[in-house]
Amino acid sequence: MLLCSHDGQVHFGIGTDVVWVSKLLLLSSIRVINMGFKSVKLLFCIICVVQSAVEQSSTKRKNGKKDSANSAAIDELKKQIDEIVQDLNLIKEHQSLQTVCLKGIKIPGKCFLADPIKKTFHTANDDCIAKGGTLSSPLSGDENDQLYAYVRQTIGPEEHIWLGINDILKEGEWMDQTSSTIRFKNWESEITHQPDGGRSQNCAILSSNANGKWFDENCRAEKASVCQFNIV
Protein backbone atom coordinates (compact mmCIF):
# COMPACT_ATOMS: atom_id res chain seq x y z
CA MET A 1 0.00 0.00 0.00
CA LEU A 2 1.35 3.45 -0.99
CA LEU A 3 0.67 6.32 1.40
CA CYS A 4 1.38 10.06 1.10
CA SER A 5 1.80 12.02 4.33
CA HIS A 6 0.82 15.64 4.88
CA ASP A 7 4.44 16.71 4.30
CA GLY A 8 4.35 15.29 0.75
CA GLN A 9 6.69 12.38 1.51
CA VAL A 10 5.97 8.89 0.18
CA HIS A 11 5.64 6.01 2.63
CA PHE A 12 4.93 2.31 2.16
CA GLY A 13 2.55 0.29 4.28
CA ILE A 14 3.06 -3.32 5.26
CA GLY A 15 1.20 -4.58 2.23
CA THR A 16 3.52 -3.17 -0.44
CA ASP A 17 2.73 -4.92 -3.70
CA VAL A 18 5.93 -5.53 -5.68
CA VAL A 19 3.99 -6.42 -8.82
CA TRP A 20 2.03 -3.16 -8.65
CA VAL A 21 5.28 -1.23 -8.28
CA SER A 22 6.74 -3.06 -11.28
CA LYS A 23 3.73 -2.07 -13.39
CA LEU A 24 4.10 1.52 -12.25
CA LEU A 25 7.77 1.49 -13.23
CA LEU A 26 6.99 0.03 -16.65
CA LEU A 27 4.26 2.58 -17.38
CA SER A 28 6.60 5.39 -16.33
CA SER A 29 9.29 4.07 -18.67
CA ILE A 30 6.81 4.15 -21.56
CA ARG A 31 5.87 7.73 -20.70
CA VAL A 32 9.55 8.72 -20.71
CA ILE A 33 10.00 7.26 -24.18
CA ASN A 34 6.86 9.00 -25.48
CA MET A 35 7.34 12.36 -23.75
CA GLY A 36 11.10 12.71 -24.19
CA PHE A 37 13.97 13.82 -21.99
CA LYS A 38 11.88 16.17 -19.81
CA SER A 39 10.26 13.16 -18.16
CA VAL A 40 13.55 11.59 -17.09
CA LYS A 41 13.41 13.31 -13.69
CA LEU A 42 9.99 11.77 -13.07
CA LEU A 43 11.31 8.28 -13.72
CA PHE A 44 14.26 8.81 -11.42
CA CYS A 45 11.84 9.78 -8.65
CA ILE A 46 9.86 6.59 -9.25
CA ILE A 47 13.05 4.54 -9.23
CA CYS A 48 13.93 6.03 -5.84
CA VAL A 49 10.47 5.15 -4.56
CA VAL A 50 10.81 1.58 -5.82
CA GLN A 51 14.22 1.20 -4.22
CA SER A 52 12.75 2.47 -0.95
CA ALA A 53 10.01 -0.15 -1.21
CA VAL A 54 12.55 -2.88 -1.83
CA GLU A 55 14.67 -1.84 1.14
CA GLN A 56 11.68 -1.64 3.51
CA SER A 57 10.29 -4.96 2.28
CA SER A 58 13.66 -6.69 2.75
CA THR A 59 14.02 -5.28 6.27
CA LYS A 60 10.61 -6.55 7.33
CA ARG A 61 11.41 -10.06 6.15
CA LYS A 62 14.46 -10.32 8.40
CA ASN A 63 12.21 -11.00 11.38
CA GLY A 64 9.90 -13.41 9.57
CA LYS A 65 9.88 -16.30 7.20
CA LYS A 66 11.42 -15.42 3.86
CA ASP A 67 8.99 -15.47 0.97
CA SER A 68 10.90 -16.97 -1.95
CA ALA A 69 8.37 -15.80 -4.55
CA ASN A 70 8.54 -12.18 -3.41
CA SER A 71 12.34 -12.39 -3.16
CA ALA A 72 12.54 -13.47 -6.79
CA ALA A 73 10.19 -10.65 -7.78
CA ILE A 74 12.37 -8.14 -5.93
CA ASP A 75 15.52 -9.42 -7.65
CA GLU A 76 13.81 -9.12 -11.02
CA LEU A 77 12.67 -5.60 -10.15
CA LYS A 78 16.21 -4.57 -9.25
CA LYS A 79 17.39 -5.94 -12.59
CA GLN A 80 14.72 -3.94 -14.42
CA ILE A 81 15.74 -0.78 -12.54
CA ASP A 82 19.40 -1.24 -13.54
CA GLU A 83 18.44 -1.76 -17.18
CA ILE A 84 16.22 1.33 -17.22
CA VAL A 85 18.95 3.48 -15.64
CA GLN A 86 21.40 2.28 -18.30
CA ASP A 87 18.89 3.10 -21.05
CA LEU A 88 18.34 6.57 -19.58
CA ASN A 89 22.07 7.22 -19.51
CA LEU A 90 22.31 6.22 -23.18
CA ILE A 91 19.40 8.52 -24.05
CA LYS A 92 21.03 11.38 -22.17
CA GLU A 93 24.38 10.76 -23.91
CA HIS A 94 22.70 10.57 -27.32
CA GLN A 95 20.86 13.85 -26.78
CA SER A 96 24.05 15.55 -25.59
CA LEU A 97 25.82 14.39 -28.74
CA GLN A 98 22.99 15.74 -30.87
CA THR A 99 23.43 19.14 -29.21
CA VAL A 100 27.18 19.02 -29.81
CA CYS A 101 26.75 18.09 -33.47
CA LEU A 102 24.34 20.98 -33.99
CA LYS A 103 26.88 23.43 -32.55
CA GLY A 104 29.89 21.91 -34.31
CA ILE A 105 30.40 19.79 -37.38
CA LYS A 106 29.60 16.15 -38.02
CA ILE A 107 31.83 13.79 -39.96
CA PRO A 108 31.50 10.00 -40.30
CA GLY A 109 31.72 8.45 -36.83
CA LYS A 110 32.30 11.62 -34.82
CA CYS A 111 31.56 15.31 -34.24
CA PHE A 112 33.99 18.20 -33.81
CA LEU A 113 33.35 21.20 -31.57
CA ALA A 114 35.80 24.11 -31.62
CA ASP A 115 36.96 26.02 -28.54
CA PRO A 116 38.88 29.18 -29.52
CA ILE A 117 39.93 29.94 -25.91
CA LYS A 118 43.64 29.29 -25.59
CA LYS A 119 44.67 26.88 -22.83
CA THR A 120 47.49 24.52 -21.91
CA PHE A 121 47.31 20.98 -23.26
CA HIS A 122 46.20 19.45 -19.96
CA THR A 123 43.53 22.11 -19.32
CA ALA A 124 42.13 21.72 -22.84
CA ASN A 125 42.17 17.95 -22.47
CA ASP A 126 40.33 18.09 -19.11
CA ASP A 127 37.72 20.46 -20.55
CA CYS A 128 36.97 18.08 -23.43
CA ILE A 129 36.63 15.14 -21.06
CA ALA A 130 34.26 17.16 -18.87
CA LYS A 131 32.06 17.68 -21.94
CA GLY A 132 32.02 13.96 -22.68
CA GLY A 133 34.63 13.97 -25.43
CA THR A 134 38.39 14.07 -25.99
CA LEU A 135 40.85 16.28 -27.82
CA SER A 136 40.59 15.67 -31.56
CA SER A 137 42.81 12.92 -32.92
CA PRO A 138 42.51 12.35 -36.70
CA LEU A 139 42.67 8.71 -37.72
CA SER A 140 43.14 9.29 -41.45
CA GLY A 141 44.12 11.87 -44.01
CA ASP A 142 40.47 12.55 -44.76
CA GLU A 143 39.67 13.22 -41.08
CA ASN A 144 42.72 15.46 -40.80
CA ASP A 145 41.63 17.46 -43.86
CA GLN A 146 38.12 17.92 -42.46
CA LEU A 147 39.50 18.98 -39.07
CA TYR A 148 41.90 21.40 -40.76
CA ALA A 149 39.08 22.98 -42.79
CA TYR A 150 36.89 23.24 -39.68
CA VAL A 151 39.69 24.95 -37.71
CA ARG A 152 40.27 27.52 -40.46
CA GLN A 153 36.55 28.25 -40.57
CA THR A 154 35.86 28.49 -36.83
CA ILE A 155 39.12 29.44 -35.10
CA GLY A 156 41.14 31.10 -37.84
CA PRO A 157 43.51 30.54 -40.79
CA GLU A 158 46.59 31.41 -38.72
CA GLU A 159 45.85 29.37 -35.60
CA HIS A 160 47.04 26.15 -34.00
CA ILE A 161 45.01 23.63 -32.01
CA TRP A 162 46.00 20.92 -29.57
CA LEU A 163 45.64 17.36 -30.77
CA GLY A 164 44.88 14.48 -28.41
CA ILE A 165 48.36 13.10 -29.08
CA ASN A 166 51.50 13.17 -26.92
CA ASP A 167 54.72 11.33 -26.07
CA ILE A 168 54.76 12.27 -22.40
CA LEU A 169 55.19 8.70 -21.14
CA LYS A 170 57.98 7.71 -23.51
CA GLU A 171 59.98 10.04 -25.72
CA GLY A 172 59.28 9.44 -29.39
CA GLU A 173 56.32 7.09 -28.78
CA TRP A 174 53.32 9.20 -29.73
CA MET A 175 50.07 7.97 -28.24
CA ASP A 176 46.41 8.98 -28.39
CA GLN A 177 43.95 9.49 -25.54
CA THR A 178 43.42 5.73 -25.15
CA SER A 179 47.18 5.25 -24.60
CA SER A 180 47.44 3.48 -27.95
CA THR A 181 50.29 4.16 -30.35
CA ILE A 182 49.00 6.27 -33.23
CA ARG A 183 48.98 4.79 -36.73
CA PHE A 184 48.12 7.84 -38.80
CA LYS A 185 50.66 10.69 -38.68
CA ASN A 186 50.77 14.03 -40.46
CA TRP A 187 53.99 15.63 -39.22
CA GLU A 188 55.50 18.54 -41.13
CA SER A 189 58.56 16.76 -42.50
CA GLU A 190 59.79 18.83 -45.44
CA ILE A 191 60.97 22.08 -43.79
CA THR A 192 61.17 21.69 -40.01
CA HIS A 193 61.32 17.87 -39.86
CA GLN A 194 58.80 17.38 -37.08
CA PRO A 195 58.74 16.27 -34.36
CA ASP A 196 61.95 18.05 -33.41
CA GLY A 197 61.44 19.34 -29.86
CA GLY A 198 62.85 16.42 -27.93
CA ARG A 199 61.87 16.14 -24.27
CA SER A 200 60.82 19.79 -24.08
CA GLN A 201 57.95 19.41 -26.55
CA ASN A 202 55.78 16.40 -25.79
CA CYS A 203 52.37 17.47 -27.12
CA ALA A 204 51.15 17.74 -30.71
CA ILE A 205 49.38 20.60 -32.47
CA LEU A 206 47.71 20.96 -35.84
CA SER A 207 48.61 24.13 -37.71
CA SER A 208 46.00 25.84 -39.86
CA ASN A 209 48.65 27.97 -41.57
CA ALA A 210 50.65 24.90 -42.60
CA ASN A 211 47.89 23.00 -44.41
CA GLY A 212 46.94 20.98 -41.35
CA LYS A 213 50.43 19.62 -40.71
CA TRP A 214 51.43 18.57 -37.19
CA PHE A 215 54.13 20.04 -34.97
CA ASP A 216 55.34 19.09 -31.50
CA GLU A 217 54.94 21.77 -28.84
CA ASN A 218 55.57 22.42 -25.16
CA CYS A 219 52.51 21.13 -23.29
CA ARG A 220 52.44 24.29 -21.16
CA ALA A 221 51.93 26.54 -24.18
CA GLU A 222 48.43 27.91 -24.66
CA LYS A 223 46.53 26.96 -27.79
CA ALA A 224 42.96 26.71 -29.02
CA SER A 225 41.41 23.25 -29.22
CA VAL A 226 38.75 21.10 -30.86
CA CYS A 227 36.92 18.42 -28.89
CA GLN A 228 35.76 15.28 -30.67
CA PHE A 229 32.77 13.16 -29.73
CA ASN A 230 32.40 9.62 -31.07
CA ILE A 231 28.94 8.80 -32.37
CA VAL A 232 27.27 5.64 -33.64
Side-chain angles (χ1 to χ4, degrees):
M1 180 173 61
L2 184 65
L3 301 175
C4 294
S5 64
H6 60 83
D7 59 0
Q9 295 183 341
V10 178
H11 302 277
F12 285 85
I14 296 175
T16 299
D17 188 338
V18 175
V19 176
W20 177 85
V21 175
S22 300
K23 290 180 179 179
L24 176 62
L25 185 58
L26 180 59
L27 290 172
S28 300
S29 303
I30 295 172
R31 291 193 184 98
V32 169
I33 294 172
N34 291 336
M35 296 174 65
F37 186 68
K38 290 183 179 179
S39 298
V40 171
K41 290 185 179 179
L42 174 61
L43 182 55
F44 274 124
C45 291
I46 293 175
I47 288 173
C48 292
V49 170
V50 173
Q51 288 177 326
S52 176
V54 171
E55 291 171 359
Q56 291 185 30
S57 180
S58 299
T59 301
K60 287 167 185 172
R61 290 196 186 94
K62 288 181 180 179
N63 299 324
K65 190 175 181 180
K66 186 174 181 180
D67 187 330
S68 59
N70 282 344
S71 177
I74 290 173
D75 291 340
E76 179 62 24
L77 184 57
K78 289 180 178 179
K79 181 180 177 181
Q80 291 178 14
I81 291 172
D82 291 339
E83 291 175 352
I84 290 174
V85 170
Q86 291 177 7
D87 289 342
L88 288 174
N89 288 334
L90 288 175
I91 291 172
K92 182 179 179 181
E93 182 179 352
H94 180 67
Q95 291 184 335
S96 296
L97 287 176
Q98 287 182 328
T99 301
V100 168
C101 292
L102 289 174
K103 293 180 179 179
I105 185 174
K106 182 178 179 180
I107 68 171
K110 63 181 65 175
C111 291
F112 290 139
L113 181 62
D115 184 353
I117 299 176
K118 295 184 178 181
K119 311 166 189 174
T120 65
F121 170 83
H122 291 96
T123 299
N125 183 52
D126 290 344
D127 286 350
C128 284
I129 292 174
K131 295 174 183 175
T134 59
L135 282 172
S136 54
S137 304
L139 299 178
S140 65
D142 184 56
E143 278 193 15
N144 196 86
D145 290 344
Q146 292 184 74
L147 178 60
Y148 162 61
Y150 179 60
V151 171
R152 287 181 61 88
Q153 178 185 357
T154 58
I155 298 177
E158 303 291 329
E159 296 293 337
H160 305 145
I161 62 161
W162 289 119
L163 294 174
I165 298 168
N166 66 81
D167 69 341
I168 295 174
L169 293 180
K170 184 177 180 180
E171 178 62 27
E173 189 172 325
W174 291 87
M175 311 180 79
D176 61 20
Q177 299 294 283
T178 65
S179 298
S180 301
T181 301
I182 60 173
R183 295 183 179 181
F184 170 73
K185 303 174 184 179
N186 195 44
W187 299 110
E188 198 294 303
S189 58
E190 295 181 0
I191 301 175
T192 59
H193 305 290
Q194 298 293 312
D196 67 347
R199 295 184 180 277
S200 64
Q201 297 180 343
N202 295 319
C203 294
I205 61 172
L206 178 148
S207 175
S208 63
N209 63 356
N211 297 321
K213 292 293 184 179
W214 300 359
F215 296 77
D216 57 354
E217 178 62 90
N218 189 304
C219 300
R220 294 188 179 89
E222 294 189 342
K223 305 290 180 181
S225 58
V226 171
C227 298
Q228 73 175 26
F229 304 83
N230 295 328
I231 57 177
V232 178

